[in-house]
Amino acid sequence: MELFSLDGRVAVVTGGNGGIGLGIARGLAEAGADVAVWARNEAKSTDAVAELRGLGVRAEAIACDVSDEEAVADATAETVERLGRIDVAVLNAGVAGVGRLPEFPTEEWDRVLDINLRGAFFTLRSVSDQMIEQGEGGSIIVIGSTGGILGNSVSPHYSASKAAVMQMAKAFGIQLARHRIRVNSIAPGFVETEMTDAMRNPKFEQIMIGARTPMRRWGRADEFAGPAVFLASDASSFMTGATLVVDGGMLIS
Ligand code: NAP
């Protein structure tokens, strides 16, 4: 359907070499976008890009730690050099973490905030500068979490980072609207990826999946392709600052 087409557009997906990011990258490529995968593990990125090229689009692996401001600036320049422009950016790179008081280590707080929040800010600022220079608008999609909406006793820093990026999307959505750059968020519930490997145990599944998630199953990474293509494309042309909750109904239960 033409409304959802991303033909001729270039998308950046941070953390696009696995999990939800790769699910989204596949969807964007299937809708016609060329894709730049920004991530740290080069072997995983090479595999991801080979798969995306198999879908008939241009795809490039760009080594980047999003918590490194200079690396993000370099990755933006490299993306433009290799693919010509940036029209869509999915700020998906993220890490989980567990921390409890007393004696919550500062290093653990900073590790998660540096990647999830500072990394998302560096990426948003850099890609939006490029979009403004191009002068043709764009779409930025922030991957938040239901963990940034609900209370969470085991991962305060993760929850804080996710609440912050979803709020950041709203604030920059206002600032960037005059440049025709839209900024929206997706808040996933529990999704089967490497990040949640440690959670796949009977106790967690009984409580969080069986009792708390009305659809009574984990989400799959490929279930983020549709929401991301929607937000990336003209199908959502009058939307900015919105959060799409994709969680099997957890938030309403
Ligand atoms: P995942 O499978 O662990 O993937 C995380 C991705 O982020 C990897 O591609 C990783 O690649 C990349 N990454 C991590 N640190 C990075 C850094 N410093 N610079 C660049 N890339 C980095 O996890 P996932 O579940 O797909 O998570 C994707 C996003 O969804 C995250 O933001 C997460 O918080 C969010 N989320 C996940 C769930 C869930 O249930 N799975 C729920 C809510 C929200 P490299 O290691 O190669 O850098």
Side-chain angles (χ1 to χ4, degrees):
M1 194 181 169
E2 198 48 40
L3 204 52
F4 292 86
S5 171
L6 296 175
D7 281 344
R9 296 192 204 175
V10 174
V12 165
V13 184
T14 70
N17 64 8
I20 292 173
L22 182 54
I24 288 175
R26 285 188 192 113
L28 300 177
E30 277 165 5
D34 296 323
V35 180
V37 168
W38 295 9
R40 298 164 305 177
N41 184 321
E42 296 188 32
K44 272 176 71 181
S45 295
T46 303
D47 288 349
V49 157
E51 188 193 326
L52 297 172
R53 287 180 182 154
L55 296 171
V57 298
R58 294 184 298 159
E60 296 288 341
I62 301 201
C64 175
D65 178 341
V66 294
S67 66
D68 176 342
E69 197 171 355
E70 266 183 46
V72 169
D74 290 347
T76 301
E78 208 174 323
T79 302
V80 174
E81 196 182 304
R82 295 207 221 164
L83 294 173
R85 52 189 292 115
I86 298 173
D87 304 286
V88 173
V90 184
L91 280 47
N92 164 81
V95 289
V98 172
R100 287 182 189 278
L101 294 175
E103 294 175 8
F104 195 128
T106 305
E107 301 73 37
E108 171 57 14
W109 182 273
D110 288 346
R111 182 185 70 82
V112 170
L113 271 289
D114 278 356
I115 296 174
N116 293 7
L117 180 55
R118 277 165 64 86
F121 167 61
F122 294 152
T123 308
L124 187 145
R125 185 177 57 188
S126 189
V127 297
S128 64
D129 281 353
Q130 174 62 29
M131 290 171 180
I132 290 168
E133 197 181 310
Q134 291 167 192
E136 293 173 34
S139 172
I140 296 173
I141 302 167
V142 174
I143 305 302
S145 173
T146 51
I149 300 169
L150 294 165
N152 175 338
S153 63
V154 293
S155 304
H157 49 341
Y158 178 79
S159 290
S161 72
K162 289 297 172 178
V165 289
M166 291 189 286
Q167 193 59 31
M168 180 184 85
K170 294 177 191 172
F172 286 130
I174 298 169
Q175 290 190 11
L176 293 170
R178 68 198 168 95
H179 298 288
R180 291 185 295 130
I181 299 168
R182 302 182 293 107
V183 190
N184 293 289
S185 302
I186 295 175
F190 292 109
V191 186
E192 264 185 303
T193 64
E194 266 179 35
M195 182 179 279
T196 52
D197 271 350
M199 299 177 194
R200 281 195 287 285
N201 60 70
K203 190 176 168 204
F204 183 89
E205 294 198 332
Q206 187 192 356
I207 298 169
M208 296 312 293
I209 306 297
R212 287 296 318 276
T213 304
M215 290 177 75
R216 293 197 174 155
R217 66 170 177 84
W218 290 87
R220 299 184 313 269
D222 64 7
E223 293 180 297
F224 291 82
V229 168
F230 170 62
L231 289 178
S233 68
D234 295 345
S236 58
S237 55
F238 197 47
M239 281 177 72
T240 198
T243 303
L244 285 188
V245 177
V246 182
D247 69 344
M250 183 173 55
L251 227 56
I252 54 160
S253 77

